[in-house]
Amino acid sequence: MARQSISFTEPNDEWLKSQVDNQEYSSKSELVNDLVRQARKQQAQVDWIRTKLEKAEKSGFTKDGKDEILSQSKALFND
């Protein structure tokens, strides 16, 4: 496993400590690795959506661009 040295702002460090103190995680390293896994999963979902939007845009199904499609999708999701 690769070792890294990173710095956190005081509020972020306090939050990390509280998660470990609450026994949500056994260490800050475990928590940070979990956060990175979540971010990677989220990025994979964003990439998948972006690919689908680009494919739809190129198919001629709509004349809306990807920004308009994304905005409409967000509006439907937030309703």
Side-chain angles (χ1 to χ4, degrees):
M1 188 173 296
R3 293 184 58 82
Q4 301 289 320
S5 174
I6 57 176
S7 300
F8 296 104
T9 62
E10 188 66 30
N12 288 343
D13 189 49
E14 290 301 320
W15 183 81
L16 290 168
K17 286 177 186 176
S18 73
Q19 298 304 300
V20 174
D21 290 345
N22 291 335
Q23 299 179 345
E24 294 292 324
Y25 295 90
S26 62
S27 68
K28 286 190 218 178
S29 293
E30 180 187 354
L31 173 54
V32 170
N33 273 307
D34 188 43
L35 293 171
V36 171
R37 276 191 294 276
Q38 290 176 38
R40 291 174 63 200
K41 183 178 178 180
Q42 182 180 22
Q43 185 61 54
Q45 292 170 337
V46 168
D47 292 344
W48 181 83
I49 292 169
R50 182 175 289 119
T51 300
K52 293 295 185 182
L53 288 171
E54 288 172 354
K55 183 178 177 183
E57 187 177 44
K58 291 176 183 174
S59 74
F61 178 74
T62 182
K63 293 185 190 275
D64 293 341
K66 60 184 169 189
D67 292 333
E68 291 85 7
I69 295 170
L70 183 57
S71 177
Q72 292 167 12
S73 297
K74 285 181 178 179
L76 289 172
F77 182 73
N78 290 328
D79 282 348

